[in-house]
C-alpha cells in the first residue's frame, strides 16, 4: 500500500509530517490528529488517500476549511502546490507523488526520518488506537512525548527516580457534544486550571498537554500522589456546580529511573507504562504501578487490592493498585 506525506504546521509547535496510508481526521476531539486551536471544530476535516490522490474533505466544521484561500465546500484533491488551512493550522503535501513503500513505524523514543522531512517529526497516521480502538487524549500526548528528547536532569528526580503521570477527562467527546462548544471550553478551562495550579503547588512539571490530556512529572511518587489526590478532590467538590456534567478524570502513575540511555529507550518505556496504566483507569480513579505503590507506602495513602493486568504493546503481566483518595 502506498502513502502520502502531509506536513502539518500548528502555531507555536514543531511541524509534523504525517505518513497517510488510508485516512486521518483533524479536530479538537477526534479519532485522528488532535489540534489545540479554538477555531477548529471537534471533528473538523479529514484527508483520504484515494489511489494516487490525497483528497481533503471538510466535515461540516463551524469555521470552515480553506484550500488556497478559498473556502472548501465538500471535498477536493490536494497537490504539492496547495495550502489548506483549518483555523491556525496549515496542511501541505511534502511531495507530488504517492510513495509506494510503507514508512517504518516509530518505536520507543527514537524517530524515523523520511528524506525531505526537514526538522519535522514524522508520524505514521493510522486509524484507531487507545481504549476500544479510539485514540485517547492520553495516547495523543504520549505519542508526542515519545518523539521528543528529554533532559532527565531537568525533571528534578529524587533518589534517581522520576514519577510520570498521565490524565484525561473520561468521555470528553460525549461531554463536549452534550455541552456545545462554548460551555465545553469553559469546563475544559476549569479542569486545565485546576491541574496546572496544583502541579505548580506540588513542584511538578507539565511535560505535554493536548486537549484534555496531560503528561506530568514529579520529583517523587509521594508528591505525585498528593497532587493527583487533590486534583480529584477539587473536581469532586465542584460536582454540585456541574448541573449533571461533572468532570471525571482518569489518572495513571508510574515511577522509574530518571536516566535514559543514548536512544532514550529507558525513559520512553516509563512513558508507555504510565500512559497504558492511565488508559486502564475509569473516571474518578487513580491507578498506580506496583513500584509507585511500594515507594509511596511511607505516606498517608490508602490503596485497593492489587490487580494483575496486561498492558497494550508491552509483554508480561503488571501489578496496578487503585489509590483510595476519598479515604486517604
Amino acid at each position: 500500500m502506498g502513502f502520502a506525506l502531509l506536513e502539518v504546521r500548528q502555531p507555536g509547535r514543531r511541524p509534523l509530517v504525517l505518513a497517510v496510508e488510508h485516512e486521518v481526521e483533524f479536530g479538537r476531539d477526534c479519532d485522528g490528529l488532535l489540534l489545540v486551536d479554538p477555531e477548529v471544530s471537534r471533528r473538523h476535516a479529514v484527508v483520504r488517500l484515494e489511489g494516487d490522490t490525497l483528497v481533503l474533505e471538510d466535515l461540516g466544521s463551524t469555521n470552515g476549511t480553506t484550500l488556497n484561500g478559498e473556502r472548501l465546500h465538500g471535498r477536493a484533491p490536494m497537490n504539492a502546490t496547495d495550502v489548506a488551512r483549518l483555523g491556525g493550522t496549515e496542511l501541505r503535501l511534502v511531495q507530488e507523488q504517492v510513495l509506494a513503500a510503507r514508512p517504518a513505524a516509530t518505536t520507543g523514543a527514537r524517530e524515523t526520518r523520511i528524506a525531505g522531512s526537514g526538522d519535522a517529526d514524522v508520524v505514521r497516521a493510522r486509524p484507531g488506537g487507545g481504549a476500544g480502538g479510539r485514540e485517547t487524549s492520553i495516547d495523543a500526548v504520549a505519542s508526542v512525548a515519545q518523539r521528543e528528547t528529554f533532559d532527565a536532569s531537568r525533571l528534578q528526580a529524587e533518589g534517581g527516580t522520576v514519577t510520570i503521570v498521565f490524565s484525561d477527562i473520561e468521555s470528553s467527546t460525549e461531554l463536549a457534544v452534550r455541552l456545545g462548544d462554548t460551555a465545553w471550553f469553559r469546563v475544559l478551562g476549569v479542569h486545565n486550571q485546576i491541574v496546572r495550579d496544583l502541579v505548580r503547588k506540588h513542584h511538578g512539571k507539565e511535560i505535554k498537554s493536548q486537549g484534555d490530556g496531560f503528561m506530568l512529572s514529579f520529583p517523587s511518587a509521594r508528591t505525585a500522589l498528593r497532587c493527583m489526590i487533590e486534583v480529584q478532590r477539587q473536581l469532586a467538590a465542584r460536582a454540585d456546580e456541574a448541573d449533571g456534567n461533572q468532570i471525571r478524570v482518569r489518572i495513571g502513575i508510574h515511577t522509574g529511573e530518571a536516566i535514559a540511555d543514548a536512544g532514550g529507550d529507558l525513559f520512553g518505556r516509563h512513558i508507555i507504562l504510565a500512559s497504558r496504566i492511565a488508559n486502564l483507569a475509569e473516571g474518578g480513579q487513580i491507578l498506580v504501578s506496583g513500584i509507585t505503590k511500594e515507594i509511596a507506602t511511607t505516606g498517608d495513602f490508602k490503596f485497593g487490592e492489587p490487580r494483575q493486568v496486561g498492558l497494550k504493546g508491552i509483554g508480561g503481566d503488571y501489578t496496578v493498585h487503585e489509590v483510595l483518595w476519598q479515604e486517604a
Side-chain angles (χ1 to χ4, degrees), residues 4-316:
L5 296 181
L6 184 69
E7 186 179 63
V8 182
R9 291 185 175 270
Q10 300 182 65
R13 294 173 177 266
R14 290 182 63 182
L16 298 176
V17 173
L18 292 178
V20 182
E21 296 182 73
H22 177 53
E23 70 174 45
V24 59
E25 283 188 6
F26 299 89
R28 293 196 326 272
D29 194 348
C30 64
D31 286 342
L33 184 66
L34 301 181
L35 304 177
V36 183
D37 185 339
E39 296 183 11
V40 169
S41 297
R42 290 187 299 274
R43 296 183 65 232
H44 195 106
V46 62
V47 291
R48 295 187 181 91
L49 189 59
E50 300 180 358
D52 292 334
T53 303
L54 191 68
V55 176
L56 173 68
E57 180 180 357
D58 185 82
L59 297 176
S61 62
T62 301
N63 295 320
T65 301
T66 64
L67 188 61
N68 301 322
E70 299 291 330
R71 182 148 184 165
L72 178 64
H73 298 284
R75 59 206 304 271
M78 290 187 68
N79 59 50
T81 62
D82 291 332
V83 179
R85 291 188 181 276
L86 295 66
T89 298
E90 184 178 286
L91 309 180
R92 294 175 183 262
L93 268 178
V94 173
Q95 83 296 314
E96 184 72 40
Q97 297 82 17
V98 172
L99 305 180
R102 286 191 174 190
T106 56
T107 58
R110 294 191 174 93
E111 296 178 7
T112 300
R113 298 284 184 182
I114 297 178
S117 64
D119 294 329
D121 291 328
V122 177
V123 185
R124 181 173 173 178
R126 52 183 173 77
R134 181 187 185 279
E135 185 178 68
T136 66
S137 298
I138 292 167
D139 294 318
V141 174
S143 177
V144 172
Q146 289 176 71
R147 295 193 303 274
E148 298 197 359
T149 302
F150 287 86
D151 177 4
S153 64
R154 74 183 179 91
L155 299 181
Q156 301 177 357
E158 178 181 282
T161 66
V162 63
T163 297
I164 303 298
V165 176
F166 280 91
S167 73
D168 74 354
I169 298 174
E170 181 183 54
S171 303
S172 59
T173 302
E174 292 80 356
L175 182 59
V177 170
R178 187 165 67 247
L179 292 177
D181 286 348
T182 301
W184 166 243
F185 273 116
R186 185 168 58 249
V187 168
L188 185 61
V190 169
H191 162 265
N192 291 355
Q193 194 63 53
I194 287 173
V195 173
R196 288 180 171 131
D197 286 349
L198 291 175
V199 168
R200 283 193 295 269
K201 173 184 174 182
H202 291 274
H203 310 293
K205 290 186 178 293
E206 179 182 329
I207 303 300
K208 287 291 173 187
S209 63
Q210 192 159 346
D212 61 298
F214 280 90
M215 175 186 168
L216 312 166
S217 76
F218 291 84
S220 75
R222 293 178 294 279
T223 56
L225 283 172
R226 291 190 188 105
C227 181
M228 293 300 104
I229 286 172
E230 198 166 346
V231 166
Q232 293 288 27
R233 286 177 173 169
Q234 285 202 19
L235 291 174
R238 289 175 173 264
D240 293 340
E241 308 169 16
D243 296 327
N245 297 308
Q246 180 185 0
I247 299 174
R248 292 171 52 83
V249 171
R250 310 182 308 140
I251 296 172
I253 304 177
H254 172 64
T255 304
E257 292 106 322
I259 305 302
D261 64 18
D265 283 343
L266 186 58
F267 188 70
R269 180 175 175 82
H270 300 329
I271 293 175
I272 295 170
L273 282 167
S275 65
R276 295 294 188 262
I277 291 169
N279 268 324
L280 290 176
E282 298 179 358
Q285 273 192 327
I286 302 172
L287 293 183
V288 302
S289 66
I291 188 170
T292 299
K293 190 258 186 184
E294 290 299 320
I295 293 173
T297 50
T298 56
D300 297 325
F301 308 113
K302 293 184 181 294
F303 298 92
E305 293 298 317
R307 290 166 48 192
Q308 295 296 313
V309 299
L311 300 178
K312 178 184 172 185
I314 304 174

